[in-house]
Amino acid sequence: MDFLRPASWEEALAAKAEHPTAVPIAGGTDVMVEINFDHRRPEYLMDLNRIGDLTEWEVGEDTVRLGASVPYTRIMEHLRAELPGLALAARTVASPQIRNRGGVGGNLGTASPAGDAHPALLAAGAEVEAASVRGSRRIPIDAFYTGVKRNALAPDELIRAVHIKKADGPQQFSKVGTRNAMVIAVCAFGLALHPGTRTVRTGIGSAAPTPVRATAAEDFLKAALDEGGLWDNGRTVPPSVAQQFADLCSAACNPVDDVRGTAGYRRHAVGVMARRTLTWTWESYRGTRRLTEGAA
């Protein structure tokens, strides 16, 4: 195994162009586990830790540009207001030591359906900034996952950053596992309310070959909130609506039986998480709305 250690982003892109099979490593929290257990033996390993740009973030007027290697700990500490769903997901990632090293870029690169960041990124409508010596592009998160542990990156591309819209409404994340952290998710669920556009987005992890959205559930909930005037009157979401939303989220899953849980359990758990996160996010929206009206 040859070890590549570029000193700049330009050197990294040149090395990736010359060695398309090179596996990038920054936190190493996924790749090194596979190597240590001899599940993976790449010809080239590319260390990106000398590239400072990857560990930086920028908060703009509407979006956050998150470097691919920004540790989960920093997301939790510095971006809770702008990216609440991702910050909640970050809290469930492994141990403090892993959260100090691992970043969103690693989750995206391995594209495991069980990656904790995926549901939050889907719910927030993120875009992945990919680059090569040919130039850069942004890949919508909905088009990024192409199969089991496969993504839309070309062989000569590296992930530089993730662009995520700042939250304009409540976001939630829920995960089922034997513990809150230090465990691979049996299944996970992310939900984001977008009052500005009066839309809803979801993200489901570890319940299909790839991370997925429950688009039918989103459309149903959007219509129900519009028809009931709930965005404006702030009333509680009717239990029948919450249950139908949960059922549609369960139906969006395509899970398998494995050592962590059965397919039937995963569908059930996703439905429970969908109903609960809807309750939490809507109550938060109602509370924010009451405060706004009181201030007016």
Side-chain angles (χ1 to χ4, degrees), residues 78-218:
H78 301 288
L79 294 169
R80 286 179 296 175
E82 294 83 0
L83 308 176
L86 186 59
L88 286 169
R91 294 176 63 88
T92 75
V93 174
S95 65
Q97 296 90 334
I98 298 297
R99 292 193 288 270
N100 286 337
R101 292 289 300 167
V104 172
N107 256 193
L108 290 168
T110 56
S112 167
D116 292 315
H118 303 314
L121 294 176
L122 282 166
E127 290 184 325
V128 181
E129 180 183 339
S132 70
V133 294
R134 298 174 289 109
S136 63
R137 62 180 177 133
R138 291 193 191 183
I139 308 170
I141 194 68
D142 293 340
F144 186 78
Y145 310 107
T146 60
V148 180
K149 295 189 176 182
R150 298 201 309 272
N151 58 47
L153 293 175
D156 64 342
E157 286 185 316
L158 293 170
I159 298 172
R160 188 169 192 177
V162 184
H163 297 258
I164 312 170
K165 292 180 181 178
K166 293 164 65 175
D168 64 337
Q171 299 180 1
Q172 271 292 340
F173 174 84
S174 184
K175 172 179 172 179
V176 170
T178 52
R179 296 183 294 269
N180 286 334
M182 286 296 291
V183 66
I184 299 174
V186 176
C187 51
F189 187 84
L191 178 64
L193 301 183
H194 300 282
T197 55
R198 299 199 170 190
T199 55
V200 179
R201 284 183 65 102
T202 59
I204 300 173
S206 203
T210 68
V212 296
R213 286 171 56 200
T215 54
E218 295 170 8

Side-chain angles (χ1 to χ4, degrees), residues 227-252:
E227 291 171 7
L230 300 186
W231 290 109
D232 296 317
N233 60 37
R235 293 174 183 166
T236 303
V237 174
S240 59
V241 170
Q243 186 59 55
Q244 181 67 12
F245 174 72
D247 292 343
L248 289 170
C249 288
S250 296

